[in-house]
Amino acid sequence: MNGAMRSRTSASFSRVASPPTAPLRLLLALVFIAACIAPTGSAEARWRKRQQALGAVNAGHLQHAARLHNTRYVKLRFPNNAWGTRRMVDVLQQCAKQVGKRHRSAHKLLVGDLSRRKGGPLPPHAGHQNGREADVGFYMRSGKPLAGLWKVGAYHIDAKRTLTFLSCLIGTGDVLNIFMARALQPPLVREAKRRRWTKARIAKTFSWPRGRNKRVGIIQHRGGHDNHLHVRLKCARHEKKCRNKPVARRHALRAKRRHRHARRK
C-alpha cells in the first residue's frame, strides 16, 4: 500500500514538475523576443523618420545631423563642417576602417567638408547642403596623408588602398556618384584589372577611358576634383523630401537667398 502511494505521489510530482510542452515553450520564447526587441525597433523607426536630408545637394538642408569625428582611421580637416546624414557618417567610418584593417600600413583617411550642422549653403561649394556629400582625400604612396587637399598626380596615389576604399563605398549600395579627375583614374583601373575585375564591372565603375563629358559609370570626371574624391550618396527611402538630382542653377540661387533671409530672422 505504501509502495502504491509513493508511486502515485511520484507520478503526481512528475506531472507538476515536467517542463512546458513544445508549443508553450515556443510561445514563451516569442513573447520574450518581442519584449526584448520592441523598444529597439520603435527607436529605429523614430530615428528613420527624423534623420533626413531635405531637398537637393545644391538647394537643401539637414535635420538631426550626425557628426563625423576624428578616429584611429579618420582625420578631419574642418570639424565644424563634419555633419551629415547617419548613413554618410557610418559609410565613411566603415570604409576607412576596412582599409586600415586590410592594409595595416595605411594612413588615416583625410576628410574635408561634409555639411554644416543644419545644412544649407557652404561656400565655396555649390553643393554640400544636405549631408549627402563629402570631400575625401586619396590614400597616398608616401604613406602619409596630405596636410590639405592639394593637387596630386596619378603617380602620387596609392591605388591599392584607394581602390579598397572605393570598392567599400560602392559595395554599400548607398553611393550615387563619386567625382574625380579623369587623369587620376588609370592607376585605379589597372589595380582593378590586377584584382581580376571583369570588363563589365570596370566599365560600370569608371568613366575612363571615355571622354571627360561622358556621364557614365559611378566614378565620373568633374573639373576641380584633381585633389580629392567627391562622394555623393543616394536619397534613402525614408527621405521623402530628398532629391537625388541637383536642381537648376536659378532654383539653387533662389533657395540660397531664402536660406540667407531665414538666418537673418
Side-chain angles (χ1 to χ4, degrees):
M1 188 69 176
N2 291 339
M5 288 293 292
R6 282 196 300 270
S7 177
R8 285 196 296 271
T9 303
S10 177
S12 176
F13 179 79
S14 297
R15 284 196 297 272
V16 173
S18 61
T21 60
L24 183 57
R25 287 199 301 270
L26 178 61
L27 179 61
L28 291 173
L30 291 175
V31 170
F32 177 75
I33 293 172
C36 290
I37 68 174
T40 304
S42 59
E44 183 179 1
R46 288 195 298 271
W47 175 85
R48 286 182 177 177
K49 290 179 180 178
R50 294 182 62 196
Q51 185 69 48
Q52 289 188 332
L54 304 176
V57 292
N58 63 338
H61 57 281
L62 182 63
Q63 289 184 340
H64 309 290
R67 191 172 194 176
L68 183 65
H69 295 278
N70 286 305
T71 68
R72 179 180 176 183
Y73 304 104
V74 173
K75 177 183 178 182
L76 299 177
R77 286 192 70 208
F78 308 112
N80 290 337
N81 298 334
W83 298 90
T85 63
R86 180 77 261 168
R87 291 185 311 132
M88 173 59 83
V89 170
D90 287 347
V91 163
L92 292 177
Q93 290 176 333
Q94 169 191 335
C95 293
K97 183 176 181 179
Q98 182 169 316
V99 174
K101 293 290 187 181
R102 182 170 176 177
H103 307 282
R104 295 294 182 179
S105 60
H107 60 68
K108 291 185 178 184
L109 177 70
L110 182 64
V111 179
D113 287 328
L114 275 72
S115 294
R116 289 175 171 166
R117 185 169 188 171
K118 294 185 178 180
L122 181 61
H125 306 287
H128 290 266
Q129 295 194 26
N130 67 353
R132 290 172 39 231
E133 293 185 307
D135 288 338
V136 179
F138 295 97
Y139 286 93
M140 307 303 293
R141 292 179 63 185
S142 64
K144 298 179 180 179
L146 296 176
L149 298 182
W150 299 331
K151 183 176 180 179
V152 298
Y155 50 87
H156 292 132
I157 296 174
D158 187 324
K160 291 183 179 180
R161 291 161 178 77
T162 300
L163 187 61
T164 297
F165 178 70
L166 292 172
S167 299
C168 177
L169 290 177
I170 296 170
T172 64
D174 291 326
V175 173
L176 184 64
N177 288 116
I178 299 172
F179 302 135
M180 62 182 292
R182 181 177 180 273
L184 302 180
Q185 296 183 35
L188 299 173
V189 173
R190 289 195 293 271
E191 176 62 20
K193 290 179 179 178
R194 192 187 70 80
R195 297 186 187 186
R196 299 185 179 180
W197 284 24
T198 64
K199 291 182 178 180
R201 183 181 179 186
I202 292 174
K204 185 178 179 180
T205 302
F206 298 95
S207 63
W208 188 88
R210 307 174 186 92
R212 291 172 177 265
N213 297 325
K214 294 294 184 180
R215 300 295 184 251
V216 294
I218 297 174
I219 300 175
Q220 299 178 6
H221 171 81
R222 287 292 192 280
H225 291 85
D226 51 5
N227 61 349
H228 68 282
L229 299 164
H230 181 101
V231 181
R232 178 181 293 170
L233 298 189
K234 303 173 184 175
C235 293
R237 290 182 180 180
H238 65 275
E239 293 172 336
K240 302 301 182 183
K241 296 182 181 180
C242 178
R243 294 179 49 141
N244 273 323
K245 291 185 178 181
V247 301
R249 181 175 175 81
R250 64 180 182 277
H251 297 306
L253 292 174
R254 193 178 305 152
K256 186 176 181 179
R257 287 194 292 268
R258 285 199 302 268
H259 182 84
R260 189 183 301 136
H261 181 68
R263 289 188 67 183
R264 286 175 181 172
K265 289 183 178 180

